[in-house]
Structures are given as structure tokens and as C-alpha cells.
Amino acid sequence: YVDANTKVTVEEKGKQRESDLLSAGWRDLTGICLRAALAEAMYPAAERERPPLILDDPFTNLDDEKIGGAMHFLEEMGKSFQILYFTCSRTRA
């Protein structure tokens, strides 16, 4: 869940948990999803031009298991937004 201050909590076993309790990789994923959702809400596709999204190595904390899904997410976002993706890792390119 996201509150009015963009604080993210995750439901686990019937309770809302602080996202600070998640691993660094999960925090990275929730952060990029939150930013993508904000961009979608602020710039609806039907109303106007959308700005480019600039990402500076957003997945440095992801393990190999999650990177495939993250890259697929970027591919899907790339259908609606121009994405400038910077990374210094060959495995994340």
C-alpha cells in the first residue's frame, strides 16, 4: 500500500509491514514500481506527451533471480515511455 506521503507498506500475514524490513533488492523493486505508477498517473497516455524516464542503475541490489523480471518490467514500460537506462554492470545491460 502507498499512503499520501508515498510511504510503502507491504501486507504480510494479515499485517502491514514497513518496506524498510524488506531486502535491498525488494526495496529497489518497490521504489521503481512506485515511480512508474506515479509517472503513469501524472502523464496519462491519452492526454499529452510523456517525458522520458531516466534510470541510473536502479537494479544494483537485485539478485540474478529477480533481474529478469525487472528487465521485462522495463521493456513493458518502454512501450509507453522513452527510457534512458544507465548502468555500469555488464550483467544488468
Side-chain angles (χ1 to χ4, degrees):
Y1 297 98
V2 181
D3 69 12
N5 297 316
T6 65
K7 182 177 179 182
V8 177
T9 58
V10 178
E11 184 176 339
E12 182 182 27
K13 297 181 182 178
K15 288 188 171 186
Q16 290 304 116
R17 310 281 183 186
E18 300 289 326
S19 61
D20 296 342
L21 300 175
L22 299 173
S23 70
W26 281 115
R27 285 193 310 268
D28 283 355
L29 284 176
T30 57
I32 197 74
C33 289
L34 174 63
R35 288 171 182 84
L38 287 172
E40 289 277 348
M42 290 172 61
Y43 302 99
E47 290 185 16
R48 60 183 145 199
E49 270 188 47
R50 291 179 151 186
L53 302 179
I54 301 170
L55 306 176
D56 184 11
D57 230 349
F59 305 129
T60 56
N61 294 313
L62 293 187
D63 56 24
D64 292 338
E65 182 180 308
K66 293 180 187 76
I67 195 64
M71 297 310 275
H72 178 71
F73 176 76
L74 287 183
E75 288 174 15
E76 290 298 312
M77 285 298 296
K79 294 176 182 177
S80 301
F81 289 91
Q82 178 184 20
I83 297 176
L84 302 174
Y85 177 78
F86 297 94
T87 184
C88 59
S89 170
R90 290 181 185 191
T91 62
R92 304 287 194 236

